[in-house]
Amino acid sequence: MPVSAAPPRKRRKEARPSELTAAALELFVEKGFAATRLEDIAVRAGVSKGTLYLYFDSKEALFKAVIQEGLVPALAEAESLAAGHAGSAFELLQALIEGWWRLVGETRYSGIPKLMIAESRNFPEVAQFYYENVVQRGRALFAAALQRGMDSGEFRRRDVATCIDVIIAPVLMLIVWRHSLAHCLLVQQEPRTYLAMHLDLLRQGLLGDATGSP
Amino acid sequence: MPVSAAPPRKRRKEARPSELTAAALELFVEKGFAATRLEDIAVRAGVSKGTLYLYFDSKEALFKAVIQEGLVPALAEAESLAAGHAGSAFELLQALIEGWWRLVGETRYSGIPKLMIAESRNFPEVAQFYYENVVQRGRALFAAALQRGMDSGEFRRRDVATCIDVIIAPVLMLIVWRHSLAHCLLVQQEPRTYLAMHLDLLRQGLLGDATGSP
Amino acid sequence: MPVSAAPPRKRRKEARPSELTAAALELFVEKGFAATRLEDIAVRAGVSKGTLYLYFDSKEALFKAVIQEGLVPALAEAESLAAGHAGSAFELLQALIEGWWRLVGETRYSGIPKLMIAESRNFPEVAQFYYENVVQRGRALFAAALQRGMDSGEFRRRDVATCIDVIIAPVLMLIVWRHSLAHCLLVQQEPRTYLAMHLDLLRQGLLGDATGSP
Amino acid sequence: MPVSAAPPRKRRKEARPSELTAAALELFVEKGFAATRLEDIAVRAGVSKGTLYLYFDSKEALFKAVIQEGLVPALAEAESLAAGHAGSAFELLQALIEGWWRLVGETRYSGIPKLMIAESRNFPEVAQFYYENVVQRGRALFAAALQRGMDSGEFRRRDVATCIDVIIAPVLMLIVWRHSLAHCLLVQQEPRTYLAMHLDLLRQGLLGDATGSP
DNA sequence: CATGAATGAGCCTTCATTCAT
DNA sequence: GATGAATGAAGGCTCATTCAT
């Protein structure tokens, strides 16, 4: 037993739950919920199987925790980013998309959307939580930007609710793609280029021609 | 017991495999591969558990069959649709998107993209097959339409490969959404409206201003 | 459909059961009863799985038939051979051992002793049948030869019942060995040499020294 | 619940594997490999089905362990017994046969020869192991005794390799017999009497007459 | 707190048996 | 008679969960 070194047990104890959910997230995203064994999660987190049950009541509870601690903090950050934004509506849209990529797309949390796509029908309660706390809040950010642009005449006037989903889809799809087919086929493309193309089409699509019509 | 009816043994024999893959597809899409029990598939197809093994060597072989017989026929139809198209490049794009919705989005095969997202990392070989026989061929259709529009000056000139993915994403996402979160939350929106919005933004986004410059 | 050739169905029909038991015997000896699939037997006999049930009620009934038609004819032949024997007691013993090798050891029926060793505890009734109709009758032949030799002073006087088993053991073991370890290790030895050695030791062992004592 | 007793977890852990192979050996010998259910083994060992898989990867691995831990220790003991033997060659033979009966014939390990006869063709690798580590070493012990006797003139000169097998056969057969037919028919004979008869015939058979010829 | 041995319900797979053709 | 598609009970194996240490 080493006399010094090694973080004291106290610190570990507090950090444990998030180490466990981090390991669980990785494996759930990789293999899916049902195909992931608790033992594998324990091994990846460097603990024993039984330890998982000190922090979570069941495999399903662990899954819920993974989702619940996943994207909410990122959303809060995005919300404050949007609140303090000063530029044009399109610049806000751009900031939202790029911010989302930085805060989610490039982190381990990017796996959560794929996970929810794969598992929501098996866990309706979790899906409900995710919808209310992530999807709705995320859509609201985009809705506000779009509404502002339309009200000011910067954007053509369209149905906002429908517009949001069309705009978000390429961003979501990029993430999902990188966690599914692209991952095992190694056909990665450059995300920044892809997002730039999306914004390029979007600018033209939303702004319309010089006269602002139709 | 009816005097007529009762499918003769012979006909069943030939029809069985596709009845089984149909039942399997539904359940794999609903629950995922690992969480689907062969017994459930058998019950849904109206046969016994053992019968599955008369037609497929294993659960995994059944999965492969589900994917392989899934979208290839629809793609062939889309290819012939594209080959015989006469209108503008944008009209071809529109026809591709709407055709895809009609041939895939509204059929049971719409579940396959969701299934591949969820399972491709567990079945790299199947992912490879899907990529080569569905993804690549689908992208080629859109690539041809885009290239034609750019060459003729109808569309602004952009990198085709990147452009394809951005354009396809909303269509794919619509399908995936309806098989995942939307399905269990009953927050369905009208697909036609959504696709119309996508095309609306796309027209403006691709065509650009009156002078044809970017 | 050929107009001529092929044995007429009538003949097949009579020959069928023994073709089936022949195939079954081979596979039971090779793999054991439980590990042999009826389908394999059917294939080896060149019929379909269902056909087996036209001749035998169950897998167990087939097993019983295999044993019952196995060694009884060979024993009858050995009995008539012994009955007509004219030489010394030792020559009779020698004729029995050599005859047994020719009638059983070199035929497919040599598998039956191995089969009974492996399966008798799973099929006590069959074991009973085998004991009464094969073992007992076989021992009786040896018993008669021994008794004759002891009565005439040709052999030393010993307990016949015990003596029989010691004498038979090497012959049995030779057969069993060739159907088990020797078969998969290819360490076959020459059976004739082995049997000659057995008889050589036996002659000396039974005859004793010149004075006929002890 | 008793205050004392109750084997500590630690001790069980170490003792488990041999408890499991002991139970497995009994059942494999009784019913054969394929006809033995893992559940029965577990019940006989007083554990649950799953526990077997903590110690053995599969049913086949359990089988291999049963064979591998079976007769090797007994052989080692027999070898040291032979090494320290001082009497005549025949006395050594006698000691080997009687020792083998005491160390194997009367223990649970006596089932292994029957098991190998029944299963070697299904498990060629195990047969190979058994042949090299048990059969070969056992034959070497007898070979040495025979060779010594022939070199000293105590025995008649014969081909040693063939002679061994003839001599061992009755001992092996006795064991096999008691685990197969004799077991279910209750026709047990006295083993000691049988072995004595074998040795009696053998002495006379090997020694020959007073003049040492032929 | 942490461990990992033990459990047993559950699932994939096999195969003896049946029966419509 | 002969076939082989269909059945469903049974068994090997896995893994979420528990609990004595």
Side-chain angles (χ1 to χ4, degrees), chain C residues 84-179:
Chain C
H85 195 272
S88 70
F90 184 79
E91 282 164 353
L92 175 53
L93 268 189
Q94 185 164 359
L96 284 174
I97 287 175
E98 288 174 350
W100 193 62
W101 181 253
R102 214 177 54 253
L103 295 172
V104 177
E106 290 177 335
T107 71
R108 71 151 60 84
Y109 297 118
S110 61
I112 288 186
K114 180 209 154 173
L115 193 49
M116 286 312 303
I117 286 170
E119 305 292 348
S120 50
R121 289 180 70 172
N122 288 328
F123 301 98
E125 292 170 51
V126 182
Q128 185 72 31
F129 169 88
Y130 181 77
Y131 184 69
E132 287 169 5
N133 293 276
V134 178
V135 177
Q136 295 278 46
R137 283 169 63 184
R139 294 177 86 245
L141 289 175
F142 282 85
L146 283 173
Q147 194 64 54
R148 170 138 71 96
M150 291 184 193
D151 289 349
S152 70
E154 180 182 350
F155 295 158
R156 296 188 290 146
R157 193 163 289 281
R158 289 292 181 275
D159 177 62
V160 171
T162 306
C163 209
I164 297 169
D165 297 325
V166 176
I167 291 174
I168 292 178
V171 192
L172 258 180
M173 207 63 221
L174 170 63
I175 278 188
V176 168
W177 175 256
R178 288 159 59 89
H179 277 289

Side-chain angles (χ1 to χ4, degrees), chain D residues 13 16 48-51 55:
Chain D
K13 178 72 194 300
R16 272 287 148 76
S48 74
K49 229 181 334 172
T51 298
Y55 298 94

Side-chain angles (χ1 to χ4, degrees), chain C residues 31 121-122 158 183 200, chain D residues 31 122 158 179 183 200:
Chain C
K31 302 170 180 300
R121 289 180 70 172
N122 288 328
R158 289 292 181 275
H183 191 279
D200 177 59
Chain D
K31 301 171 180 300
N122 289 329
R158 290 292 181 275
H179 277 290
H183 190 278
D200 178 58

Side-chain angles (χ1 to χ4, degrees), chain A residues 91-137:
Chain A
E91 283 164 354
L92 176 52
L93 268 188
Q94 186 164 358
L96 285 174
I97 287 175
E98 288 172 351
W100 193 61
W101 181 253
R102 215 179 53 253
L103 295 171
V104 177
E106 290 176 336
T107 70
R108 70 151 60 86
Y109 297 119
S110 61
I112 288 186
K114 182 211 152 173
L115 193 49
M116 286 312 302
I117 286 171
E119 305 293 347
S120 50
R121 289 179 72 172
N122 288 329
F123 300 97
E125 291 170 52
V126 183
Q128 185 73 32
F129 170 88
Y130 181 77
Y131 184 70
E132 287 168 6
N133 294 277
V134 178
V135 177
Q136 296 276 46
R137 284 169 64 184

Side-chain angles (χ1 to χ4, degrees), chain A residues 31 114 117 120-122 128 131 156 158-159 176 179-181 183 185 189 197 200-201 204 208, chain B residues 31 114 117 120-122 128 131 156 158-159 165 176 179-181 183 185 197 200 204-205 208-209:
Chain A
K31 301 170 181 297
K114 182 211 152 173
I117 286 171
S120 50
R121 289 179 72 172
N122 288 329
Q128 185 73 32
Y131 184 70
R156 295 188 290 145
R158 290 292 182 277
D159 177 62
V176 169
H179 277 291
S180 54
L181 271 168
H183 191 279
L185 300 176
Q189 63 186 323
M197 175 68 78
D200 178 58
L201 291 177
Q204 202 75 18
Chain B
K31 301 170 180 298
K114 182 210 151 173
I117 287 170
S120 49
R121 289 180 70 173
N122 288 328
Q128 184 73 31
Y131 183 70
R156 295 188 289 147
R158 290 290 181 277
D159 178 61
D165 297 326
V176 169
H179 277 290
S180 55
L181 271 166
H183 191 278
L185 300 176
M197 175 67 79
D200 178 58
Q204 202 74 20
D209 56 31

Side-chain angles (χ1 to χ4, degrees), chain A residues 139 146 150 158-169, chain B residues 170 189-198 201:
Chain A
R139 292 178 87 245
L146 283 173
M150 291 181 194
R158 290 292 182 277
D159 177 62
V160 172
T162 307
C163 210
I164 297 170
D165 297 326
V166 176
I167 291 173
I168 293 179
Chain B
Q189 62 186 327
E190 184 47 49
R192 301 285 179 183
T193 306
Y194 174 93
L195 289 175
M197 175 67 79
H198 178 37
L201 291 177

